Amino acid sequence: MIIFISCIILFLIGLYSIVTKRNLIKIAIGFALMEYAINLLFALIGFRKGALAPIITSVDSPHNFVDPIPQALVLTAIVIALGTTALMLVVIMRIYEKYKTFDIAEIKKLKG
Amino acid sequence: MSFIPWYFALPLLGAFLIPILNKIWKPLVLIFTTAITFALFILSLYGIAVVHEIPMVVYKMGNWPPPLGIVMAFDAMSAFMTLVIAVIAFAANIFSLQYLRTYTGQGKFYTLFMLIIAGMMGLVVTGDLFNMFVFLEIAAIASYALVAFGTEAEELEASFKYMVIGEIGSLTFLLAIALLYAKVSTLNLADVSNVLQTFRYSPIFWTILGMMIFAFSIKAALVPFHSWLPDAHPAAPAPISSLLSGVFIKVLGIYTMARLIFNVFGLSRATDPVFFNLLIGFGLISIVIAGLIALAQRDYKRLLGFSSVSQIGYVLVGFGIGNFEGVTGAIFFILAHALAKGLLFLTSGSVVDATGTRDLNKLAGCGEKMPTTAWSYRIGALSLIGLPPFIGFWAKFYIVKGALKAGLLWIALAAVLLSGLTLAYLLKIESHVFMKKGKNDYKEAPFLMRFSMVFLVILILIAGLGFNYVFDLIIGPAAHALLRGLEYAQLVFASVINF
């Protein structure tokens, strides 16, 4: 149970970094932390103690496998996280070109 | 081969062929995207015809049966949403053909445009929780990029703000899926709904539901999670604003929320009145607060953005009322708001295209020089306010009828009186832009832009005048599909054998 809770704590650390940090890159790092936390949680959900990798090599191979679905989900989630992180960093780069700063307090052309 | 995968396969195919076609001959891209959105429109009409005969069509990906494999579950609600997406996508596509002539990078634009459609189409036809997340992210990532498409300082800032808030929503949804999977060990919506009933009303049940509603409230831009929308939607090019405000927030926020609440978690007004009253309260807060902020805006598109936040509240009120009339009203409202707000954002594109500014104080005199745009705006606005011959009236009519039937007199009153707020902020644009006389040499929009506006105007009129046909064919079955509640699961498993 304690490992599941520590995943949630990692998730919250990421959220804390997004909400409080003023540097754009630190906000991007916060998202990376949240994504890692969820991927770790998925991997732990599928884990079973002493179980094998879920590969059936013959008809009579042993049946104590770890749950393969979370592993597939993590792979997909990593790809999506790659997409969002890449896009976010590109937008941060373009913002830096326009505003010459990473500080969100100085990036405020939009009002309301 | 079933017709269901084509809903997202067709735009995905388009998305990845467009960069190649763009290298060969640029006009080919325009013909190709128009052909795809038109094909989707025809396909969604065919889908409506199919669900009229069979209540649920299930497609098994790779032929794996439901609890193990991924299924696409296509019922009347999905058919309705695909139609709304296809109509607005088609209008936005036609509009963009000429609107984008001043932009560079058309190939990239249409690639992202196709991806956003593929994501939304996939989201409404899928019957699998994780698949839902994947399609949601496809649509969301494409929309972040499209908001930044102009790459000016404001657009990049709006995109970053939207991305930060939107991703918090997406990741919360993913965390909720992880917790749910840990508890139920399945991802198929029908199977999840069966297993969830074994621990109904336990703390974990409410935690997961709460996290999902938080995530979808961000995607639907409900107050107090609305702050990204008035920045992001105006920053995008006008056809994309029209697509985002018209269908995007409803597909990613409202459809997913309604599907999970009614069909997967199996809540209904009869069993959980407190929860549904909370939905109504949430909706009313959105209507009032966003409506009041909209009154103070001086930017054409920003005002319409706040108006979207406010109108989404009505949809939530309709679902919160929870009886057949209320849900019908909410679904009617999705259609009415998609057509009307899609149209209004297209008129904003036409005005910006002619004048080069969105500031209401500088836009006097558009009414005389741009009659088609002005009349399109007026009809869209009248429909949004809810005047009788247009479809917006029937949406509000059913919400009020449902509220009265459920004995919620003050909500019926509020729904009617708050139309005054809608009237007030839409009149602001009318008086500043179209009624006020001014000296200028603005030109009316080019043919294809006028065509797509008139196309939506005609749909608003047809749907409003023939509302009983629309109700019988599209809206009624969709409301029944949602109110089917937990029978959704049995229907999915029963339909696997038929197909």
Side-chain angles (χ1 to χ4, degrees):
Chain A
M1 197 61 197
I2 192 85
I3 45 174
F4 292 111
I5 291 169
S6 50
C7 281
I8 305 288
I9 291 172
L10 188 60
F11 184 86
L12 293 177
I13 292 172
L15 193 59
Y16 169 82
S17 140
I18 292 163
V19 174
T20 59
K21 294 296 169 192
R22 285 172 57 180
N23 188 311
L24 295 181
I25 299 288
K26 285 182 183 164
I27 290 175
I29 292 173
F31 275 109
L33 276 180
M34 282 167 85
E35 281 150 6
Y36 292 152
I38 296 172
N39 290 343
L40 195 58
L41 183 64
F42 262 125
L44 288 171
I45 287 167
F47 177 75
R48 275 181 209 126
K49 202 167 186 188
L52 304 171
I55 304 164
I56 296 181
T57 46
S58 66
V59 184
D60 50 47
S61 36
H63 286 285
N64 57 338
F65 295 140
V66 296
D67 188 350
I69 290 180
Q71 302 182 359
L73 301 187
V74 167
L75 280 181
T76 318
I78 286 173
V79 174
I80 292 172
L82 174 79
T84 49
T85 312
L87 184 65
M88 187 173 286
L89 291 175
V90 167
V91 171
I92 290 174
M93 260 172 61
R94 297 299 287 266
I95 286 178
Y96 185 76
E97 283 171 16
K98 297 279 177 195
Y99 291 88
K100 304 288 175 212
T101 175
F102 281 127
D103 188 346
I104 49 170
E106 289 169 33
I107 300 169
K108 49 179 180 188
K109 285 202 179 171
L110 293 168
K111 58 208 171 292
Chain B
M1 176 112 175
S2 168
F3 65 100
I4 299 173
W6 290 108
Y7 280 112
F8 55 91
L10 215 52
L12 265 185
L13 181 80
F16 297 117
L17 277 180
I18 283 166
I20 302 170
L21 294 179
N22 196 39
K23 286 258 187 285
I24 300 169
W25 191 47
K26 291 212 161 88
L28 202 59
V29 175
L30 308 182
I31 300 166
F32 187 62
T33 52
T34 316
I36 285 185
T37 45
F38 188 69
L40 283 175
F41 182 43
I42 301 294
L43 189 64
S44 61
L45 288 177
Y46 173 73
I48 298 270
V50 169
V51 290
H52 206 60
E53 306 288 323
I54 315 159
M56 170 83 72
V57 188
V58 171
Y59 173 74
K60 294 169 282 183
M61 299 279 272
N63 229 357
W64 291 88
L68 295 176
I70 294 169
V71 296
M72 302 283 152
F74 188 80
D75 64 0
M77 185 64 191
S78 314
F80 164 74
M81 292 307 298
T82 56
L83 183 67
V84 176
I85 298 167
V87 166
I88 302 298
F90 180 63
N93 192 340
I94 298 282
F95 191 87
S96 67
L97 295 179
Q98 283 190 320
Y99 182 79
L100 281 184
R101 65 193 184 284
T102 52
Y103 284 74
T104 54
Q106 289 195 8
K108 297 187 187 79
F109 175 87
Y110 284 110
T111 304
L112 292 167
F113 184 69
M114 285 290 134
L115 279 177
I116 217 172
I117 295 171
M120 289 195 291
M121 285 289 188
L123 185 59
V124 295
V125 299
T126 191
D128 184 276
L129 202 52
F130 193 74
N131 226 338
M132 228 176 193
F133 170 75
V134 173
F135 282 122
L136 187 140
E137 282 290 64
I138 292 176
I141 295 173
S143 75
Y144 305 147
L146 277 172
V147 167
F149 194 72
T151 61
E152 291 302 318
E154 290 88 354
E155 283 145 3
L156 290 166
E157 188 186 334
S159 172
F160 187 76
K161 193 172 172 185
Y162 174 28
M163 205 185 298
V164 167
I165 301 178
E167 276 307 292
I168 290 176
S170 300
L171 289 174
T172 312
F173 181 41
L174 185 59
L175 185 64
I177 292 175
L179 294 178
L180 191 60
Y181 183 81
K183 193 77 186 166
V184 302
S185 296
T186 175
L187 289 168
N188 182 287
L189 284 182
D191 211 23
V192 166
S193 130
N194 278 341
V195 184
L196 262 178
Q197 300 315 311
T198 57
F199 56 95
R200 201 181 161 91
Y201 302 139
S202 63
I204 186 86
F205 178 91
W206 290 114
T207 313
I208 292 167
L209 182 61
M211 284 169 76
M212 286 185 172
I213 286 185
F214 168 75
F216 298 138
S217 305
I218 286 180
K219 293 289 177 195
L222 294 166
V223 173
F225 310 117
H226 68 289
S227 60
W228 58 270
L229 188 143
D231 293 332
H233 286 192
I240 297 303
S241 312
S242 156
L243 191 70
L244 290 180
S245 253
V247 286
F248 189 81
I249 49 176
K250 299 191 196 70
V251 172
L252 265 71
I254 297 294
Y255 165 82
T256 41
M257 201 192 279
R259 178 67 91 196
L260 288 173
I261 289 174
F262 285 104
N263 290 143
V264 177
F265 285 81
L267 302 178
S268 69
R269 181 150 200 111
T271 51
D272 317 271
V274 177
F275 178 79
F276 278 79
N277 284 338
L278 278 177
L279 284 187
I280 292 181
F282 216 6
L284 284 179
I285 290 172
S286 282
I287 298 176
V288 175
I289 293 183
L292 289 175
I293 305 173
L295 276 177
Q297 297 304 311
R298 289 194 309 274
D299 179 319
Y300 196 137
K301 288 175 91 175
R302 212 175 154 79
L303 193 155
L304 292 180
F306 274 110
S307 156
S308 287
V309 180
S310 166
Q311 300 293 317
I312 275 291
Y314 275 105
V315 182
L316 207 64
V317 168
F319 281 128
I321 290 167
N323 53 14
F324 178 70
E325 280 80 9
V327 173
T328 307
I331 294 172
F332 242 126
F333 214 100
I334 292 177
L335 178 63
H337 182 250
L339 293 174
K341 194 49 67 64
L343 179 60
L344 294 189
F345 266 111
L346 291 186
T347 65
S348 84
S350 162
V351 167
V352 171
D353 190 56
T355 64
T357 176
R358 306 195 315 229
D359 190 337
L360 289 181
N361 295 328
K362 294 179 191 158
L363 280 172
C366 286
E368 301 157 53
K369 299 282 168 61
M370 309 172 72
T372 315
T373 308
W375 281 104
S376 303
Y377 176 82
R378 282 165 198 156
I379 289 174
L382 288 178
S383 174
L384 204 59
I385 295 159
L387 281 189
F390 307 108
I391 182 173
F393 168 73
W394 299 106
K396 282 210 179 115
F397 173 76
Y398 273 100
I399 288 179
V400 170
K401 193 177 165 195
L404 290 177
K405 214 167 182 182
L408 303 160
L409 183 63
W410 62 277
I411 288 167
L413 263 176
V416 175
L417 293 179
L418 288 171
S419 302
L421 200 58
T422 318
L423 175 69
Y425 59 69
L426 290 175
L427 261 184
K428 189 171 177 186
I429 294 182
E430 167 72 24
S431 65
H432 277 76
V433 181
F434 297 117
M435 283 217 307
K436 200 189 263 179
K437 302 247 185 303
K439 279 201 166 172
N440 54 55
D441 52 347
Y442 301 150
K443 280 200 208 71
E444 176 61 291
F447 173 73
L448 285 176
M449 284 160 70
R450 271 180 293 156
F451 174 84
S452 70
M453 288 190 283
V454 172
F455 173 69
L456 287 180
V457 166
I458 291 171
L459 282 183
I460 288 176
L461 282 173
I462 290 179
L465 294 173
F467 87 99
N468 47 344
Y469 297 106
V470 176
F471 176 76
D472 286 343
L473 283 173
I474 309 172
I475 312 281
H480 277 298
L482 278 185
L483 290 174
R484 194 177 282 143
L486 291 169
E487 283 168 37
Y488 170 82
Q490 288 139 31
L491 202 60
V492 168
F493 284 118
S495 310
V496 174
I497 303 153
N498 293 339
F499 257 74

